[in-house]
Amino acid sequence: MEKISTLTGPIVPLERSNVDTDQIIPAVFLKRVTKTGYDDALFHSWRQDPAFVLNQEPYRHGGILVVGNDFGTGSSREHAVWALRDFGITAVLGPRFGEIFRGNAGKQGLLVGKITEEATEALWAVARANPGEPVTVDLEARTATAAGVSHPFEIDDYTRWRLLEGLDDIALTLRDEAAISAFEAKRPSWMPTTQDRTPQARTQGAS
Amino acid sequence: MGKTLAEKVWDDHVVVKGEDGAPDLIYIDLHLVHEVTSPQAFDGLRQAGRGLRRTDLTVATEDHNTPTLDIDKPIQDPTSRKQIETLRQNAAEFGVRIHSLGDKEQGIVHLVGPQLGLTLPGVTVVCGDSHTSTHGAFGAMAFGIGTSEVEHVMATQTLPLKPFKTMAINVEGELRPGVTAKDIILAVIAKIGTGGGAGYVFEYRGSAIRSLSIEGRMTICNMSIEAGARAGMVAPDETTFAYVKDKPHAPKGADWDAALEYWKTLPTDDDAVFDAEIFIDASELEPFVTWGTNPGQGVSLSGEVPAPESFDDPTDRAAAERALEYMDLKPGTRLKDIAVDTVFIGSCTNSRMEDLTAAAEIIRGRKKADGVRVLVVPGSARVRLEAEAAGLDKVFTDFGAEWRFAGCSMCLGMNPDQLAPGERCASTSNRNFEGRQGKGGRTHLVSPLVAAATAIRGTLSSPWDLEAAEAELVKDGVA
């Protein structure tokens, strides 16, 4: 994963709330077995409308997406993050997000920052007044700055650190291999197993 | 201070306690895998030269893409076929047990875990599917994950997870006949909204929850995600133990005794404190239905389509306006006057024996309304077999419904079971999002009882309406 410190791009205003992951990428595009090439699928239904924001210049090539409440709710499909990334969205700012979506974004190097509803409105207003106006997202300082105004954003310390360092989660966890093995050694034998239970145990169970 | 059920399960799964804001590393007892969210994860393992750590804690099935007709023939859609073939190849390569189309244990992944006895109280369950919350009905901590996390669990059998808050959903009182678990959860989501549960693990409590079967509890926990919660749980009790016992993979003999002893320690302590609580009076609930395009946009079936102006919050108002336009509904329309084209009985929310039995009891001996397509899709091959043994397939087909093979089907329309643009559906599934059941399709979420009554009358209806209509006939001397 690449390290992120600051990101700059046009404010892409998506002035809607409750944008679920079925809207971000419809299920029909989930049949692929690859992890890239989803740019055409992003907001596929809404993009049939020429007036939709992502069909407009200067938003056709991505930027920093600014969204309403409850963005990324619903299905766990990580394809939603891949599609945003493939389209050229490098960060998403908004007041409230679906939790699985936010987790997926963090794993894939897509910065998701929580800003207030007031800051959301302010950034939308900047984009309305001056389409293409850039916003600079500073991960170190946790600020989003546009038209000379800085808005703080929230991101948890751990995700921020991983994004700043560009660290792979699995490699990090495997440093704890000894702890995982020790935990496994203590797990009780009644725990689930997809293998057949032993014949001896089965006999006991029948008695 | 005592601990909640969720805190107990969590604490017993901490491998490494996170320090300085780092997440806890949590052990995963059961990983369920399906064809849609796994191919990129298997690929990741291959690229990194990693193996799958615990094949004995991993099980795969095919559900999202599978056809519900002609399952003995090759899958026609080449991309669906490729995805399923990819899962089969990956399962063979990495040594994962798989229940493929045609196998008795194939079906929606959230039915497979419970029916095999793999889903147990006090365990952690994950799957690359948001409705993994279903398994919380057993007192397991279960949540949906993305593909990066699927790969992480495959490689390490753990997940780094941030702490959560707890919310008690107290449902007290007795449900009236005709009101079901589905109506409870739709009412909960309408009350707190689609983001109201963000950051929380729910615990469903109270006399109404205790009196539900495990299958009813699964329906409720299944939709926890629709309120934004990370997971939903119900404390295990005698109902749970009786359901689990003697399932194929349930612990046996001394293991069973040890498990039972542990499970009885899991319910929330009397002096434990929840971070938030809500209260619902079950006796006041009526059959519920959604009118909009998110699961929080629901009202009692006896009500009307609300006016956007009735919402104080400007965001809610804008969402309502957009939803009504998409749904082609006018404010003030009586919900019972809304005619449907399709009725779908199925999905991980409502496709178990209890759901099919309840729907069959309503329609037995009747005919479906003219012009309404009725699709009945059992959640698993095992449910299909049990239903056929009980003669339910005959009840459905005599009624005029289509009796299909198991899978996710029209819940999300990844297979050919889809709504056409503009088509309206009463659906026992979990999401009424725009285009969810097919591009341009319109979804009303309902219980199996409401689905059955709607299929009879052709308009959104509950069993109460059938009784009222019959009473009217008796009064008029017709019957």
Side-chain angles (χ1 to χ4, degrees):
Chain A
M1 213 160 71
E2 280 184 40
K3 294 183 184 183
I4 298 176
S5 54
T6 60
L7 298 165
T8 300
I11 301 168
V12 182
L14 185 64
E15 299 189 35
R16 292 181 188 189
S17 64
N18 267 301
V19 176
D20 55 73
T21 52
D22 273 75
Q23 305 317 314
I24 300 174
I25 181 166
V28 65
F29 296 103
L30 311 189
K31 297 182 185 184
R32 301 175 186 167
V33 295
T34 57
K35 215 165 173 173
T36 55
Y38 291 90
D39 45 334
D40 290 347
L42 181 70
F43 297 118
H44 186 265
S45 177
W46 293 344
R47 271 165 79 194
Q48 307 310 303
D49 174 6
F52 182 63
V53 59
L54 292 189
N55 289 330
Q56 308 291 313
E57 287 296 353
Y59 305 124
R60 299 166 68 97
H61 312 288
I64 314 282
L65 193 66
V66 181
V67 299
N69 255 328
D70 296 319
F71 183 87
T73 52
S75 153
S76 65
R77 58 190 69 168
E78 194 164 303
H79 310 66
V81 172
W82 305 337
L84 287 164
R85 183 195 59 200
D86 289 351
F87 186 82
I89 302 294
T90 55
V92 187
L93 301 173
R96 204 163 62 187
F97 295 92
E99 285 193 61
I100 304 177
F101 170 79
R102 191 148 56 108
N104 289 343
K107 311 280 181 204
Q108 288 291 312
L110 177 71
L111 194 161
V112 170
K114 274 172 85 169
I115 55 177
T116 61
E117 290 189 28
E118 292 72 29
T120 307
E121 292 288 346
L123 290 172
W124 285 345
V126 168
R128 261 183 247 128
N130 195 2
E133 182 75 15
V135 56
T136 295
V137 177
D138 184 337
L139 183 57
E140 190 75 52
R142 292 186 235 221
T143 56
T145 307
V149 182
S150 251
H151 306 279
F153 69 82
E154 281 178 42
I155 183 167
D156 69 87
D157 292 340
Y158 182 72
T159 304
R160 172 172 167 271
W161 169 70
R162 282 182 42 253
L163 292 176
L164 284 169
E165 301 291 329
L167 291 171
D168 166 334
D169 246 11
I170 296 178
L172 276 175
T173 297
L174 288 174
R175 292 179 190 171
D176 290 320
E177 161 60 36
I180 298 172
S181 293
F183 185 93
E184 286 178 328
K186 289 189 303 187
R187 290 176 76 240
S189 59
W190 60 260
M191 281 286 182
T193 173
T194 60
Q195 314 301 305
D196 289 334
R197 296 270 179 189
T198 63
Q200 187 198 347
R202 271 208 301 267
T203 313
Q204 285 174 4
S207 65
Chain B
M1 195 177 73
K3 291 201 279 188
T4 63
L5 163 66
E7 289 159 351
K8 291 179 189 184
V9 177
W10 182 278
D11 289 351
D12 284 350
H13 286 83
V14 174
V15 176
V16 180
K17 190 83 190 145
E19 287 173 15
D20 302 326
D24 290 345
L25 191 65
I26 297 293
Y27 199 81
I28 303 303
D29 295 317
L30 179 63
H31 187 192
L32 306 167
V33 174
H34 63 85
E35 75 273 16
V36 178
T37 54
S38 67
Q40 297 87 354
F42 281 115
D43 243 358
L45 290 184
R46 254 189 303 267
Q47 282 165 20
R50 291 173 177 139
L52 195 150
R53 184 181 180 94
R54 293 295 298 265
T55 51
D56 59 330
L57 306 183
T58 311
V59 66
T61 192
E62 302 160 2
D63 56 5
H64 284 65
N65 274 281
T66 51
T68 56
L69 284 174
D70 300 329
I71 64 166
D72 53 334
K73 300 195 176 69
I75 297 172
Q76 290 194 341
D77 177 343
T79 51
S80 287
R81 191 170 63 233
K82 169 106 187 283
Q83 202 166 51
I84 283 171
E85 284 169 355
T86 303
L87 177 66
R88 291 176 187 175
Q89 286 160 7
N90 283 329
E93 180 181 339
F94 287 89
V96 174
R97 177 178 184 134
I98 183 167
H99 296 293
S100 287
L101 205 56
D103 177 326
K104 189 171 69 178
E105 302 298 350
Q106 176 268 341
I108 307 178
V109 67
H110 307 309
L111 277 84
V112 170
Q115 75 188 20
L116 283 174
L118 291 169
T119 303
L120 300 174
V123 305
T124 51
V125 183
V126 299
C127 173
D129 187 279
S130 58
H131 292 113
T132 308
S133 56
T134 311
H135 307 263
F138 292 81
M141 178 168 279
F143 38 82
I145 58 178
T147 297
S148 291
E149 291 171 306
V150 169
E151 183 181 338
H152 193 284
V153 174
M154 287 174 171
T156 71
Q157 204 58 35
T158 63
L159 274 181
L161 294 168
K162 288 169 205 143
F164 56 90
K165 293 177 286 180
T166 55
M167 189 187 292
I169 313 278
N170 299 289
V171 192
E172 295 286 353
E174 203 175 326
L175 289 173
R176 287 183 271 179
V179 186
T180 68
K182 183 67 165 283
D183 303 300
I184 294 178
I185 189 61
L186 286 174
V188 168
I189 301 164
K191 188 178 175 96
I192 67 175
T194 55
Y200 289 96
V201 170
F202 290 166
E203 183 180 329
Y204 301 98
R205 300 162 61 81
S207 56
I209 303 295
R210 294 259 75 84
S211 62
L212 288 174
S213 69
I214 282 291
E215 299 197 348
R217 295 176 191 181
M218 282 196 254
T219 298
I220 291 192
C221 289
N222 171 274
M223 290 188 73
S224 302
I225 183 70
E226 313 313 335
R230 194 190 286 181
M233 303 172 79
V234 176
D237 58 11
E238 293 303 326
T239 304
T240 322
F241 309 146
Y243 186 94
V244 169
K245 197 165 175 28
D246 301 328
K247 290 279 185 289
H249 287 259
K252 309 278 188 275
D255 279 343
W256 173 262
D257 296 339
L260 201 58
E261 194 182 335
Y262 174 70
W263 295 342
K264 288 179 175 172
T265 68
L266 288 174
T268 295
D269 297 325
D270 290 339
D271 57 343
V273 177
F274 290 92
D275 297 303
E277 282 200 74
I278 68 160
F279 296 86
I280 303 257
D281 182 350
S283 66
E284 285 185 357
L285 291 178
E286 294 182 12
F288 221 80
V289 60
T290 61
W291 50 267
T293 55
N294 75 56
Q297 291 174 321
V299 292
S300 291
L301 180 56
S302 59
E304 296 175 349
V305 175
E309 304 82 59
S310 66
F311 295 93
D312 294 333
D313 184 283
T315 320
D316 290 345
R317 201 178 310 142
E321 271 171 20
R322 209 186 138 69
L324 291 187
E325 187 189 330
Y326 181 84
M327 294 295 288
D328 191 26
L329 291 173
K330 300 268 182 299
T333 305
R334 280 166 25 105
L335 286 154
K336 287 182 184 170
D337 290 340
I338 297 172
V340 304
D341 307 294
T342 295
V343 172
F344 171 60
I345 298 176
S347 89
C348 56
T349 314
N350 283 125
S351 64
R352 288 168 281 268
M353 263 311 272
E354 186 176 300
D355 302 312
L356 301 185
T357 306
E361 283 315 309
I362 301 289
I363 63 165
R364 191 184 291 275
R366 304 181 195 248
K367 292 284 173 207
K368 71 175 180 68
D370 286 344
V372 175
R373 169 171 61 146
V374 185
L375 211 59
V376 185
V377 185
S380 69
R382 185 182 277 265
V383 168
R384 184 179 149 99
L385 289 172
E386 286 178 16
E388 290 180 350
L392 300 188
D393 56 326
K394 185 87 169 47
V395 176
F396 287 116
T397 50
D398 285 351
F399 176 68
E402 298 174 48
W403 176 245
R404 297 291 189 90
F405 287 90
C408 299
S409 180
M410 197 184 269
C411 175
L412 84 169
M414 278 190 81
N415 74 351
D417 306 339
Q418 298 179 13
L419 295 181
E423 235 186 304
R424 188 180 298 280
C425 179
S427 177
T428 66
S429 57
N430 41 57
R431 288 186 175 138
N432 50 346
F433 297 155
E434 288 181 28
R436 169 86 177 178
Q437 297 191 287
K439 199 172 171 186
R442 299 173 176 135
T443 304
H444 296 276
L445 300 178
V446 298
S447 73
L449 294 183
V450 170
T454 301
I456 294 167
R457 286 162 57 88
T459 50
L460 292 175
S461 306
S462 84
W464 298 355
D465 300 309
L466 300 175
E467 287 165 21
E470 274 166 12
E472 196 65 24
L473 291 178
V474 170
K475 200 180 80 188
D476 296 344
V478 179

